[in-house]
Amino acid sequence: MKKNILIVPGDGIGQEVTAVGKKVLDRIAEKFGHEFIYDEALIGHVAIEATGSPLPDETLAKMKASDAVLFGAVGHPKYDNDPSAKVRPEQGLLKMRKELGLYANLRPIKLFDELLGASSIKPEILKGADILFFRELTGDIYFGEKGRKNDGDTAYDVAEYSRYEVERIARKAFDAARTRKKKLCSVDKANVIETSRLWREVVQKIALEYPDVEVEHQFVDATAMLLIKDPKRFDVVVTANLFGDILTDEASQIAGSMGMLASASVGDGTGVYEPIHGSAHDITGKGVANPLASILSAALLLDISFGLKAESDAVINAVDAVLKAGYRTRDIADATTAPENILGTDAMGAKVLEFL
Ligand code: IPM
Ligand code: MG
């Protein structure tokens, strides 16, 4: 298979982990006889520094022209404490999602058995947890009108959803539920929020097309509690943009570390694959970032955008084997990890390649 892959490392540790993810793609191409052609593009703070824009037109054009994008992270601490900054790295990410029509963000939360001890949740609660989140990614309060009034003393962000936006993400989640345990949990705040009431109405209607899938509706606050209390009760979860952002950071603890979680953003065109963690400037340049989320994002890319299931499984199995052999990055090490088995970013990447 011949494919064009755009590498977009972005900011902070995005650079370090994406380089490792690319090496894994390279090895897969070599091992399975594919030809992957790479190009690279800028986004986020590095793009602002180079061009003034967090998502240069050239990057967007390259994304649209490629078969898949392997993405790193965006963000820079200098903007975090400067609420008045007009141009921000995150704007590049949001514009990319909108422009590429990436309305469905899949975040699989699966605990590798070897990491049971890495989470702060009790092992007996965690063992066997396996959740697939569908986070809506191009609507909600993220994209509604926002601004200030009363001479800047009042701020507003409008949350908006249209029926078709809920329908298409719901269908994707129902389709996935069919291939798994035939259980779907839709999360909203329909007791208070109008967009949530539309959300629930639409999900109830789509549910009629999937009589074989058991549906439950939960409020977001209760879901936040249940995820920690009994993560195994969930299988496929579908929710709105902001709720999904928050719940998946929480759920990352079920997988031991944010450094383990990959995501796929798909929709109308090119799919984008990225770790759910951010740019982590506190550890940037130290060579200690966990590259496994980027490697697992590459696995999702192979499976979802290219339909290469065996290749994708080979990557996941290699990660599993490395963990079974006792190797850890700092974030997933525990008291039982031998100090010599705690690896940096590149060494962990090299181990995965070795097992591949
Ligand atoms: C994520 C991130 C982004 C989001 C930020 C960086 C804008 O937290 O992908 O989850 O809020 O969507
Ligand atoms: Mg987030």
Side-chain angles (χ1 to χ4, degrees), residues 134-156:
F134 280 80
R135 168 188 176 196
E136 200 289 330
L137 203 58
T138 52
D140 204 0
I141 196 165
Y142 271 65
F143 290 94
E145 197 192 325
K146 50 185 85 239
R148 295 280 179 112
K149 52 189 182 185
N150 289 339
D151 292 329
D153 288 343
T154 305
Y156 57 90

Side-chain angles (χ1 to χ4, degrees), residues 245-268:
D245 178 47
I246 299 167
L247 290 177
T248 53
D249 266 29
E250 184 194 0
S252 72
Q253 292 312 300
I254 296 167
S257 164
M258 288 261 277
M260 293 301 298
L261 287 194
S263 85
S265 301
V266 297
D268 301 330

Side-chain angles (χ1 to χ4, degrees), residues 12-51:
I13 61 166
Q15 298 279 340
E16 300 160 40
V17 299
T18 312
V20 177
K22 175 173 180 267
K23 280 190 191 149
V24 168
L25 287 170
D26 262 343
R27 178 62 56 88
I28 286 289
E30 188 189 320
K31 192 173 148 87
F32 288 84
H34 302 298
E35 190 184 344
F36 295 156
I37 302 153
Y38 303 96
D39 196 357
E40 206 168 299
L42 298 173
I43 196 165
H45 173 67
V46 290
I48 297 173
E49 296 281 282
T51 71

Side-chain angles (χ1 to χ4, degrees), residues 108-121 126 129-131 227 231 248-262 276 290 292 296 323 331-332:
I109 313 280
K110 191 167 177 181
L111 177 72
F112 286 88
D113 277 347
E114 302 77 32
L115 297 185
L116 269 174
S119 174
S120 39
I121 306 173
L126 280 184
D130 179 357
I131 308 173
L227 273 173
T248 53
D249 266 29
E250 184 194 0
S252 72
Q253 292 312 300
I254 296 167
S257 164
M258 288 261 277
M260 293 301 298
L261 287 194
I276 85 155
N290 184 349
L292 294 177
L296 292 169
L323 295 173
D331 56 311
I332 49 173

